[in-house]
């Protein structure tokens, strides 16, 4: 598989830069895709997490995340690949869609 969209390999610097340009609110922190969301309430935050959990399970790709009241902090990396892959970018994109 040579296509980075379908393979399970780390994105290049250029690919990562391009992806970040299309992912509002996300940055790289400690080698992981990182974003913090803030909602109006705990119920909204947890509703977002519930929806994203189902997306993650269907992708077979799971977030590292942390919730305090109305905040959800997410870090994405692909353990199998030892870095950020297209799957992390895809999950980040879906998280942004759900948080709207
Ligand atoms: C066997 C299973 O598909 C793997 O362990 C998956 C599960 N979810 C995962 N999630 C993330 N974020 N990275 C992985 O490498 C990963 N691997």
């Amino acid at each position: 598989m040579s296509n980075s969209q379908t393979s399970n390999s780390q994105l290049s610097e250029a690919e990562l830069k391009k992806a970040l340009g299309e992912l509002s609110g996300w940055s790289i922190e400690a080698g992981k895709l990182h974003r913090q969301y803030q909602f109006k309430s705990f119920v909204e935050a947890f509703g977002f997490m519930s929806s994203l959990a189902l997306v993650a399970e269907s992708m077979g790709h799971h977030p590292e995340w942390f919730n305090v009241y109305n905040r959800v902090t997410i870090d994405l990396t692909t353990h199998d690949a030892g870095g950020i892959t297209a799957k992390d970018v895809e999950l980040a994109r879906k998280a942004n869609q759900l948080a709207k």
Side-chain angles (χ1 to χ4, degrees), residues 1 8 14-15 19 25-26 32 34 36 40 42-43 47 50 52-53 70 73 75 80 83-85 88 90 92 97:
M1 251 189 284
N8 190 35
E15 288 170 325
W26 289 82
K32 298 173 182 177
H34 174 92
Q36 180 174 283
K40 290 201 182 83
F42 172 72
V43 168
S50 300
L52 190 60
N70 63 340
T73 306
D75 285 287
D80 300 353
I84 298 169
T85 66
D88 298 303
E90 184 63 17
Q97 285 168 5

Side-chain angles (χ1 to χ4, degrees), residues 18-76:
K18 181 170 182 286
L20 278 176
E22 296 162 0
L23 284 174
S24 77
W26 289 82
S27 61
I28 308 294
E29 293 238 348
K32 298 173 182 177
L33 261 187
H34 174 92
R35 181 170 176 177
Q36 180 174 283
Y37 293 94
Q38 186 158 337
F39 297 90
K40 290 201 182 83
S41 65
F42 172 72
V43 168
E44 277 195 27
F46 206 86
F48 164 77
M49 293 177 83
S50 300
S51 298
L52 190 60
L54 298 179
V55 170
E57 184 59 18
S58 76
M59 289 175 68
H61 197 66
H62 305 87
E64 297 172 17
W65 54 5
F66 187 72
N67 162 240
V68 178
Y69 179 47
N70 63 340
R71 279 179 286 129
V72 180
T73 306
I74 306 182
D75 285 287
L76 301 175

Side-chain angles (χ1 to χ4, degrees), residues 2-18:
S2 59
N3 184 338
S4 66
Q5 289 304 115
T6 49
S7 72
N8 190 35
S9 58
Q10 279 189 53
L11 297 182
S12 67
E13 283 294 320
E15 288 170 325
L16 206 47
K17 215 170 175 180
K18 181 170 182 286

